[in-house]
Amino acid sequence: FGVLSRRLSAALDRYRASAFHRVNLSLPGLELVHSEPYIFVHRQFLSKAECAALREKAAAALTPQTFDNDATAGVRTSRGCVARSEEVASLRQRLAGLASVELGQLQPLKISRYEEGARFDIHTDAWRGDLQGAPPDPDDWWADRARLEYGVRGAPISGVNRIVTIFVYLTTCVRGGRTRWRWTDYDAALGGNHGRAFYEQPGPGTGATDVAGGSGAGFSISPEEGMAVVHFPATSARSGGYTDYNAYHESEAAVDDKWVLQQFVWSHSKLAWPRVLDAENLEPERCLSPSQL
């Protein structure tokens, strides 16, 4: 126990000194479960009743989901929806408290369902920098240099990016549906060292990896109803908003029915979401249901 305690303390010290946003480490129940990339869990963030209410709220509004897969040619076969902020106001306050951010930094809240066989292949939760119509640089796949100069489309702010992802499992899955980080040293399998060096010297990278085989020691979490998971797709804006490709992850094919809440947190508050986000991530015109959470 003493050795584990010292290792945990050292990992937390590295996180505190890192280029990543600092979440609410004083929140009872928050645990660091992986270092570099940093991943936290809170095993009882939502109650069973709250999880059931969110599933019921979303059930009639689910539509097929997509993602930017030009780097990996992957697929996403989940269905999901977005809730209006006023119908999940209390929940958003709790999520902002966990992330230790202003409420205005929270993107509209998403709810997703993975029925049997549904999956979400390798992806980053970071948002691509504004290339101003130019093709991506192979040495800077997610346009982090352009981000420093132009921000992202719809938000011309240097370093702006999604800096924290919180997802909360709304069901327990005994079979399938794990969230897997299989690229924790993303370019090592190709002979690169950017992934290994990133935590000492954050900066742009190729994003190139062994999609099928993985790269670096793998880590996975099985869905448990009510458990929140926190990870970091990019460094803070003051550290450049650089994409951490080591945080690539996937949702393996579901066997048991998997539901998950997704809360993306941005580096800046009160962005004009209709200018920044695609239609799939925007609030609907009407509330999903009358219930309030």
Side-chain angles (χ1 to χ4, degrees), residues 272-290:
W273 298 129
R275 297 178 59 191
V276 174
L277 302 176
D278 51 42
E280 186 177 310
N281 285 285
L282 295 175
E283 290 180 286
E285 292 185 3
R286 298 180 180 84
C287 290
L288 301 178
S289 74

Side-chain angles (χ1 to χ4, degrees), residues 52-71:
L54 285 164
R55 296 194 305 267
E56 182 178 358
K57 176 179 284 293
L62 301 175
T63 59
Q65 295 176 311
T66 62
F67 77 116
D68 187 346
N69 65 347
D70 62 349

Side-chain angles (χ1 to χ4, degrees), residues 26-156:
S26 66
L27 182 69
L30 189 65
E31 308 171 46
L32 179 67
V33 294
H34 194 277
S35 179
E36 298 180 355
Y38 297 102
I39 305 169
F40 291 85
V41 301
H42 190 295
R43 299 183 188 279
Q44 295 180 319
F45 188 76
L46 292 182
S47 68
K48 288 183 177 294
E50 289 170 324
C51 292
L54 285 164
R55 296 194 305 267
E56 182 178 358
K57 176 179 284 293
L62 301 175
T63 59
Q65 295 176 311
T66 62
F67 77 116
D68 187 346
N69 65 347
D70 62 349
T72 63
V75 300
R76 182 180 193 180
T77 52
S78 57
R79 296 186 299 140
C81 62
V82 176
R84 288 196 62 82
S85 295
E86 62 264 32
E87 62 183 318
V88 287
S90 177
L91 177 54
R92 281 169 52 85
Q93 289 282 1
R94 290 165 62 187
L95 290 163
L98 168 57
S100 194
V101 296
E102 297 177 19
L103 195 61
Q105 290 174 248
L106 302 187
Q107 187 175 307
L109 183 146
K110 299 182 75 172
I111 302 169
S112 298
R113 183 182 186 183
Y114 294 79
E115 296 167 272
E116 185 174 3
R119 71 182 202 267
F120 189 176
D121 290 343
I122 177 176
H123 61 283
T124 173
D125 291 339
W127 205 257
R128 201 172 214 160
D130 187 355
L131 287 163
Q132 300 275 295
D137 184 338
D139 292 327
D140 181 18
W141 186 251
W142 223 233
D144 287 324
R145 294 190 190 96
R147 180 190 319 284
L148 288 174
E149 186 170 358
Y150 303 115
V152 301
R153 280 190 298 177

Side-chain angles (χ1 to χ4, degrees), residues 15-31:
Y15 167 67
R16 289 187 181 99
S18 75
F20 295 94
H21 173 76
R22 185 85 55 82
V23 296
N24 184 4
L25 298 178
S26 66
L27 182 69
L30 189 65
E31 308 171 46

Side-chain angles (χ1 to χ4, degrees), residues 99 244 257:
D244 183 3
D257 199 18

